Amino acid sequence: MGLFIEVQVAPEASSKPAVVKKLVEVCPVNIFGEREDGGLDIIESNVDECTLCELCLDATEPGAVRVIKLYDQGQALERSA
Amino acid sequence: MRFYEFESKALLAKQGLPLPAVSRVAGTPAEAGAIAREIAGPVVLKSQVLTGGRMKAGGVLFADSPDECESAAEKILKLEINGHAPRGVLVEGRAPVAQEYYAGVIYDVLAKLPVMIFSDMGGIDIEEVAEKHPQHIAKLHFSTILPPSDFRAKELVSSLGISGSELNRLTRIVAQLARSFTQYSLTLAEINPLARLEDGSFICLDAHVDMEAEARDRQQAILEELGIGPDETRQARPPTPFEIRGAQIDAVDHRGVAGNVVEFDGDLGLVIGAGGGSLTLFDAIRRHGGKPANYCEIGGNPSVSKTCELTKLILSKTGVRKIAVMMNVVSNTRVDIVARGVIKGVIESGYDPAHKIAIFRIPGSWEQDGFKILSKYGVEYCDRSVSMFDAAGRAVAKMQQA
């Protein structure tokens, strides 16, 4: 979790190699990394760089990713199922 | 970006401007003596320093023989002028001068055009001529889009009553100087004195050019040709460790700009920028009686980490009590991203943003999110309804209260 932004990825999405690769590909500020076992790594040092572009939301199934603005009473960007 | 005289002359020679037949830099007295032997006549020796006042300081000497030249070179090479050690000594033949003129090109920031300046009183400061003998000075603006024409140069020179072959020869020189100015991205191109010799020919006895620092990439070829390396900043003084660190922060991340840091001795740190906003805000702080600790430029949407590191650098400077974060109205920089970076930098420096940030005045893209961030941390902020001048005033007032 960053100072301003928190990114949450549902466990069922973060364990799918195809979803992980997609998240790594679309994020312009490198918040997502791929672990050696193919799982998802959230790179905490980059989380506050989030530009709120929502590309991660567009690249995944509804409900898979939530981007939370910690400075705005926890308002979350997410796609509802 | 300043050039030594020998570099200025080498640059002007590329446009065909007339220079002394032998004009070379010596690094030792023996080399200077050898150049004098080649000239086989009276010579002038000039210290190669990036500062003015050479003549008064003893950095320009004359010699009638190679032996005299060696001893003069020894004196000049040991002489520091305004704290500058000479790069070498320029040795040239002394010319029999009949009359001295001045030719220069500078950029007129009010007219937003370059301006050719010509005077039939050379060899002295052009400012002095302008003040005491304004009738001996002529100016003419020219376009940066169309190539500088001989016709305009002729108009300029003839306006001082010069005619005949003198007019034709001077026209060519002034036009070539103007072409050098535009071709090499110069901010100043000056020949003073421009001498008419007894045989009627003209020669550039002294020359001075400054290049726009931002044009270094574009002018890389000529800089390489002149032997000016990328590490040579050519500023009025060497950069301080604070300024070097600022440049490193800017270079580490390609996103946006958070650099061009210049150190001052005040107590109010500045994180400022946007389309001339830095200069305006710096001046506004001073106009209100504030003492800036630094100048800098942010813009082009720097990353959170870049802004954070710049903030930490400014706060680490001895004597900085608060910082003011101010920009013009921004469209290509996000307010919320800058707010995140600055607040993170303050917190990581161990301070409370509410106390350490005197004012945050960046209106524009994503300002609503930015203002929410600032509100959460209790930072005083203002939108575009508060002018940059008034925001600077608020920052200074806070410093006076603290």
Side-chain angles (χ1 to χ4, degrees), chain B residues 5-61:
Chain B
E5 180 189 347
F6 73 94
E7 294 166 340
S8 303
K9 285 181 168 169
L11 186 125
L12 296 181
K14 293 187 74 62
Q15 276 288 348
L17 282 148
L19 296 164
V22 179
S23 173
R24 285 213 303 278
V25 177
T28 64
E31 283 174 24
I35 298 168
R37 266 183 282 280
E38 187 183 330
I39 291 169
V43 295
V44 56
L45 297 94
K46 295 192 263 186
S47 176
Q48 294 304 287
V49 282
L50 295 175
T51 183
R54 286 185 305 181
M55 182 67 99
K56 282 181 190 162
V60 179
L61 296 173

Side-chain angles (χ1 to χ4, degrees), chain B residues 208-266:
Chain B
H208 179 195
V209 307
D210 283 2
M211 183 182 278
E212 169 58 56
E214 300 290 338
R216 285 188 77 135
D217 287 343
R218 195 165 65 245
Q219 298 295 346
Q220 206 173 346
I222 184 69
L223 293 173
E224 275 176 16
E225 198 177 321
L226 295 173
I228 302 171
D231 295 335
E232 285 195 67
T233 62
R234 295 296 179 89
Q235 299 302 311
R237 58 169 172 73
T240 65
F242 178 81
E243 291 163 354
I244 291 169
R245 177 70 191 125
Q248 287 168 342
I249 290 168
D250 195 32
V252 91
D253 186 335
H254 69 278
R255 291 169 289 184
V257 175
N260 211 359
V261 178
V262 182
E263 188 168 8
F264 290 89
D265 56 3

Side-chain angles (χ1 to χ4, degrees), chain A residues 2-5 28-30 44-54 69-73 75 77, chain B residues 253 255 301-306 334 336-337 339-341 343-344 347 366 368-370 372-373 376-377:
Chain A
L3 204 54
F4 308 99
I5 301 291
V29 292
N30 304 321
E44 295 298 339
S45 58
N46 288 344
V47 170
D48 277 331
E49 299 285 356
C50 176
T51 60
L52 308 172
C53 65
E54 303 191 12
K69 296 181 186 180
L70 300 173
Y71 55 86
D72 194 8
Q73 298 171 334
Q75 190 206 341
L77 304 177
Chain B
D253 186 335
R255 291 169 289 184
N301 211 26
S303 63
V304 172
S305 59
K306 201 165 181 173
R334 277 179 47 173
D336 60 328
I337 300 288
R340 285 188 219 169
I343 287 173
K344 200 166 188 174
I347 290 171
W366 290 71
Q368 291 308 321
D369 274 61
K372 281 175 186 166
I373 293 168
K376 182 181 175 186
Y377 288 92

Side-chain angles (χ1 to χ4, degrees), chain A residues 17-66:
Chain A
V19 173
V20 171
K21 283 190 193 311
K22 198 71 189 166
L23 287 172
V24 171
E25 180 193 329
V26 299
C27 181
V29 292
N30 304 321
I31 289 173
F32 305 105
E34 185 180 2
R35 291 201 309 258
E36 282 185 10
D37 64 2
L40 183 71
D41 191 15
I42 292 183
I43 302 164
E44 295 298 339
S45 58
N46 288 344
V47 170
D48 277 331
E49 299 285 356
C50 176
T51 60
L52 308 172
C53 65
E54 303 191 12
L55 288 172
C56 53
L57 305 186
D58 293 340
T60 53
E61 294 293 317
V65 178
R66 295 180 81 226

Side-chain angles (χ1 to χ4, degrees), chain B residues 84-317:
Chain B
H84 292 248
R87 170 70 69 95
V89 58
L90 183 67
V91 184
E92 295 176 336
R94 278 171 76 183
V97 175
Q99 187 176 351
E100 293 183 337
Y101 299 83
Y102 170 95
V105 184
I106 57 166
Y107 196 79
D108 180 345
V109 291
L110 294 178
K112 297 181 181 171
L113 286 172
V115 57
M116 294 184 266
I117 304 169
F118 179 77
S119 171
D120 56 4
M121 290 181 72
I124 54 175
D125 280 348
I126 194 67
E127 290 83 2
E128 194 182 324
V129 179
E131 192 185 321
K132 294 182 182 167
H133 312 282
Q135 71 279 16
H136 285 278
I137 202 163
K139 298 177 193 174
L140 195 70
H141 292 94
F142 62 99
S143 165
T144 49
I145 299 169
L146 302 171
S149 70
D150 284 13
F151 171 74
R152 297 288 281 165
K154 193 169 223 170
E155 232 179 19
L156 174 79
V157 177
S158 64
S159 71
L160 290 185
I162 294 167
S163 60
S165 94
E166 195 178 337
L167 172 62
N168 289 336
R169 290 181 182 203
L170 284 167
T171 293
R172 186 170 156 263
I173 291 169
V174 173
Q176 284 169 327
L177 190 65
R179 281 193 275 274
S180 301
F181 183 87
T182 53
Q183 183 178 345
Y184 297 116
S185 312
L186 304 181
T187 54
L188 167 72
E190 189 177 62
I191 306 169
N192 189 23
L194 167 62
R196 177 165 55 82
L197 304 184
E198 286 169 358
D199 64 1
S201 64
F202 283 85
I203 196 163
C204 306
L205 290 187
D206 198 356
H208 179 195
V209 307
D210 283 2
M211 183 182 278
E212 169 58 56
E214 300 290 338
R216 285 188 77 135
D217 287 343
R218 195 165 65 245
Q219 298 295 346
Q220 206 173 346
I222 184 69
L223 293 173
E224 275 176 16
E225 198 177 321
L226 295 173
I228 302 171
D231 295 335
E232 285 195 67
T233 62
R234 295 296 179 89
Q235 299 302 311
R237 58 169 172 73
T240 65
F242 178 81
E243 291 163 354
I244 291 169
R245 177 70 191 125
Q248 287 168 342
I249 290 168
D250 195 32
V252 91
D253 186 335
H254 69 278
R255 291 169 289 184
V257 175
N260 211 359
V261 178
V262 182
E263 188 168 8
F264 290 89
D265 56 3
D267 55 2
L268 177 60
L270 298 179
V271 180
I272 50 178
S278 291
L279 295 169
T280 305
L281 287 158
F282 188 92
D283 287 349
I285 290 287
R286 285 176 53 83
R287 180 67 67 86
H288 284 290
K291 293 177 182 166
N294 68 285
Y295 170 84
C296 74
E297 291 169 0
I298 62 167
N301 211 26
S303 63
V304 172
S305 59
K306 201 165 181 173
T307 310
C308 171
E309 290 305 315
L310 177 67
T311 303
K312 283 159 70 175
L313 173 71
I314 293 169
L315 285 171
S316 71
K317 186 172 168 353

